[in-house]
């Protein structure tokens, strides 16, 4: 158990709908990262938050957005869902972030999203 | 952008045999991470390497970082069925704005035959 929790574990929804995925980082971790894993694209970095502020953006679609709340949990919002958005969505956390410093990232169990 | 190539893509070994998985980066490495994933499940953190020449071990798994070659290797000694899974390497890169993100390889699928 990494200490990172994600809910829900599974989500099935229809095209055009909007869903919210939730992540609670490990105790003491200030940084939260979101990743998408699909069979064709592999594991792709989406976005990072550190202590409530957006720090890095990867291959995140405009239909997707995220935020980190004062209690450090994070939510990933996916809207106008398409069949191609079906994937495993992972949240990871680390204690810090910064230039020339690297930190261990611990992953949650993931949310499996199926868009029908 | 950073690209990571893992080899081999898949590996089938007899229990008790040693094996090595390689991860090669197209760019300078700022942190190299190794994870293990069971199909459809979360990633289990194995090790993080930062400096050239660094070597870390956890139980029967050893990882090394060759900074000059921009390459890392993961070696499993006396493999067991519990080692089966997908091994992913991830490399850290910095953007111009100083943000840090991980890029992952496609993974190496390991099967261990009892």
């Amino acid at each position: 158990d990494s200490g990172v929790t994600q809910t829900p574990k599974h989500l099935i929804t229809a095209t055009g709908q909007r869903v919210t995925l939730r992540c609670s980082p490990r105790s003491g971790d200030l940084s939260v990262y979101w990743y998408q894993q699909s069979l064709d694209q592999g594991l792709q970095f989406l976005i990072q938050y550190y202590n409530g502020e957006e720090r890095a953006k990867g291959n995140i679609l405009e239909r997707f957005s995220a935020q980190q709340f004062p209690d450090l949990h994070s939510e990933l919002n996916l809207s106008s869902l398409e069949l191609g958005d079906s994937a495993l969505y992972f949240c990871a956390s680390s204690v810090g972030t910064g230039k020339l410093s690297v930190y261990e990232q611990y992953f949650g169990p993931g949310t499996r999203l199926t868009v029908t | 952008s950073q690209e990571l190539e893992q080899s081999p893509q898949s590996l089938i070994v007899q229990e008790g045999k040693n094996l090595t998985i390689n991860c090669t980066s197209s760019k300078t490495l700022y942190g190299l991470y190794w994870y293990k994933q069971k199909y459809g499940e979360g990633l289990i953190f194995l090790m993080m390497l930062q400096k050239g020449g660094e070597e870390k071990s956890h139980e029967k798994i050893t990882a090394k970082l060759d900074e000059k070659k921009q390459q890392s290797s993961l070696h499993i000694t006396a493999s067991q069925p519990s080692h089966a899974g997908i091994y992913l390497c991830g490399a850290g890169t910095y953007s111009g704005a100083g943000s840090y993100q991980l890029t992952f390889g496609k993974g190496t699928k390991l099967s261990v035959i009892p």
Side-chain angles (χ1 to χ4, degrees), chain B residues 16-97:
Chain B
K17 296 293 186 184
N18 302 336
L19 62 107
T20 299
I21 298 169
N22 293 302
C23 176
T24 302
S25 169
S26 62
K27 293 193 173 184
T28 302
L29 292 167
Y30 295 101
L32 190 291
Y33 300 69
W34 284 102
Y35 291 89
K36 178 186 171 187
Q37 183 181 27
K38 293 282 190 182
Y39 182 75
E41 297 181 8
L43 279 68
I44 300 167
F45 175 81
L46 295 175
M47 278 165 277
M48 181 185 77
L49 305 167
Q50 282 185 257
K51 300 172 185 176
E54 187 174 10
E55 181 175 320
K56 286 188 178 178
S57 292
H58 175 67
E59 297 179 346
K60 294 185 178 179
I61 302 176
T62 300
K64 298 178 188 179
L65 180 63
D66 185 331
E67 205 167 48
K68 285 183 183 175
K69 290 184 182 176
Q70 295 176 174
Q71 187 177 61
S72 177
S73 60
L74 185 84
H75 184 78
I76 299 177
T77 305
S79 58
Q80 300 169 356
S82 60
H83 287 126
I86 300 169
Y87 289 81
L88 291 157
C89 68
T93 53
Y94 285 97
S95 72

Side-chain angles (χ1 to χ4, degrees), chain B residues 5-10 20-24 107-108:
Chain B
E5 189 171 319
Q6 281 187 242
S7 62
Q9 286 186 340
S10 65
T20 299
I21 298 169
N22 293 302
C23 176
T24 302
T108 294

Side-chain angles (χ1 to χ4, degrees), chain A residues 33 35 37 39-43 45 48 55-58 88 90 97-109 112, chain B residues 30-31 33 35 37 39-45 48-50 56 88 94-106:
Chain A
Y33 310 79
Y35 294 86
Q37 187 178 42
L39 279 173
D40 53 341
Q41 296 290 324
L43 189 60
F45 167 72
Q48 179 207 358
R55 275 300 178 99
K57 247 182 177 176
L88 263 171
F90 289 107
T97 190
K99 271 194 174 183
L100 304 180
S101 299
V102 295
Y103 299 90
E104 296 173 358
Q105 287 190 26
Y106 292 89
F107 280 69
R112 180 174 291 282
Chain B
Y30 295 101
Y33 300 69
Y35 291 89
Q37 183 181 27
Y39 182 75
E41 297 181 8
L43 279 68
I44 300 167
F45 175 81
M48 181 185 77
L49 305 167
Q50 282 185 257
K56 286 188 178 178
L88 291 157
Y94 285 97
S95 72
S99 62
Y100 183 83
Q101 55 181 273
L102 288 188
T103 301
F104 282 87
K106 298 282 186 192

Side-chain angles (χ1 to χ4, degrees), chain A residues 26-38:
Chain A
R26 291 187 323 155
S27 175
D29 284 359
L30 298 178
S31 234
V32 168
Y33 310 79
W34 286 98
Y35 294 86
Q36 180 194 57
Q37 187 178 42
S38 60

Side-chain angles (χ1 to χ4, degrees), chain A residues 39-60:
Chain A
L39 279 173
D40 53 341
Q41 296 290 324
L43 189 60
Q44 301 266 319
F45 167 72
L46 295 178
I47 197 165
Q48 179 207 358
Y49 279 81
Y50 176 74
N51 205 20
E53 292 186 3
E54 183 185 304
R55 275 300 178 99
K57 247 182 177 176
N59 302 321
I60 188 165

